[in-house]
Structure formats: C-alpha cells, structure tokens
Amino acid sequence: MTDDENRVAGLVLAAGGGRRLGGRPKALLPHRGRLLVEHAAEVLRAGGCAGVHVVLGARAEEVRARAALPCCALVDNPDWEQGMGTSLRAGLDALAGTDARAVLVLLVDQPGIGPEAVARVRRAYRSPRSLVSAAYDGVRGHPVLFGAAHWAGIAATATGDRGARAYLKEHADAVALVECGDVAKAYDIDTESDLTHLE
C-alpha cells in the first residue's frame, strides 16, 4: 500500500432521523449484535480506510452515549433535517483539516455492503483527482470515493437528499466504476419492510 493509499479516510453518513421508520434514527438500529452505526464504521476500518469520521444528527447525544465508536472522529450536523447533502458537507469540512487525500463514503443504512466492496473501491484510488464508485451490474451505487481535489466542488453542489449525485453526474466521464455486485448487496433500510434485512 502506498503512502497515498494510507490517506484514504472513511466517512459514515449517519445523521438521518428515519422518518419512514417512525422516527427511529438508522444509526441506532440493531444489526448482528451491534448498532448500525458501529457496523458501518467497522466496515470502513476493515476495508482499509485510514481514520473514520462519522456524521451524526438525529438524537446525536444518544448515539454518542450508546455507540462504541473507538478511534472515530464524530462530526455533528445541526442541519441534518435538511437532507443528506448537509451531512456530506459537514463530513468534508471536517476532513479538510486532515492529511486525507481522498474519502470513501458509506451510508449507515446499507449493511449489505461489507469490507470487500470498500476495499475494492479504495484500491481504485490513484490520486487526489480520483472519483470512484461501486457498481452493481454496471449501475453506480455506494460506496463512493472522492479525491480531495473534488471536495470543494461536491460541497458546493450537495443539497437536499441528493448528496454528490449532481456532481457525479456532471463528471460521469471521470468516474471509475468498480463492480461489487458479487460481494455486496446495495439495499437501503428505509421502511418498516426493509427491517427484515437486519440480523
């Protein structure tokens, strides 16, 4: 692993309030004997990310009190109700003061994505200009990797629940797709019926 590869940080977006889950924050949902936010942070670590930042919002104090997130930097997003874009901006702002050359972003509500997919996307990093996305049967999904050269542009366009979608669409020719459909399942935990995916 090169020195640059050692500087791919991990970022968990875990601020949502779970509106369609009756107001249960996804970060606090149980999965495999721990909280979803703990699971996501561990997936990034196990996938080789150097340092993990976790963006909190809904019931942030409860998440801080209940979740075991050793060695993670916790970032509060007071504007979490305005959508995922604000969490992505908060995370990128926090990372701007580090020596990270890229960030690999994982959503807290996708527990079907494990360390194998994270490691594949991370290994596709080439430089701070890299843009990499996991793909499922050729369709772009998560996790995604943003080289530091793109952070300002992503932050400027991250609004509502769209996150980096507009930026990635605008720079589609530069995005390296890494097929992960054989090692991960990209479902979201959004509604009550999705809870059957949790173990």
Side-chain angles (χ1 to χ4, degrees):
M1 192 184 292
T2 67
D3 184 50
D4 253 14
E5 285 177 310
N6 275 322
R7 298 189 196 175
V8 176
L11 178 63
V12 181
L13 301 185
R19 188 170 33 86
R20 287 183 285 173
L21 287 167
R24 280 180 290 172
K26 296 174 184 180
L28 293 170
L29 293 174
H31 179 59
R32 296 182 181 173
R34 58 176 127 174
L35 302 179
L36 264 191
V37 68
E38 295 170 339
H39 175 79
E42 179 54 34
V43 164
L44 287 174
R45 264 198 299 272
C49 289
V52 176
H53 283 59
V54 181
V55 180
L56 304 177
R59 291 177 28 201
E61 287 309 312
E62 183 178 350
V63 177
R64 284 174 180 271
R66 289 180 54 195
L69 296 167
C71 306
C72 290
L74 304 184
V75 180
D76 284 310
N77 174 18
D79 302 318
W80 63 269
E81 289 181 273
Q82 295 174 28
M84 186 172 60
T86 62
S87 290
L88 182 55
R89 286 203 306 270
L92 293 176
D93 282 350
L95 282 158
T98 72
D99 66 353
R101 301 288 177 86
V103 62
L104 198 150
V105 181
L106 185 65
L107 306 183
V108 76
D109 67 347
Q110 293 193 315
I113 297 172
E116 299 89 350
V118 168
R120 276 190 193 177
V121 172
R122 186 184 56 75
R123 282 196 300 266
Y125 168 84
R126 296 292 175 266
S127 79
R129 298 210 58 77
S130 291
L131 283 175
V132 185
S133 174
Y136 299 87
D137 293 327
V139 178
R140 184 169 54 75
H142 285 89
V144 290
L145 180 147
F146 307 127
H150 298 281
W151 294 357
I154 291 167
T157 58
T159 57
D161 273 325
R162 287 192 298 277
R165 196 178 306 161
Y167 190 89
L168 289 172
K169 192 172 178 183
E170 188 181 327
H171 296 81
D173 291 347
V175 179
L177 294 181
V178 177
E179 183 57 45
C180 291
D182 59 321
V183 295
K185 292 181 168 48
Y187 55 78
D188 300 315
I189 307 296
D190 278 336
T191 63
E192 292 283 345
S193 62
D194 296 329
L195 294 175
T196 58
H197 288 299
L198 299 179
E199 301 168 19

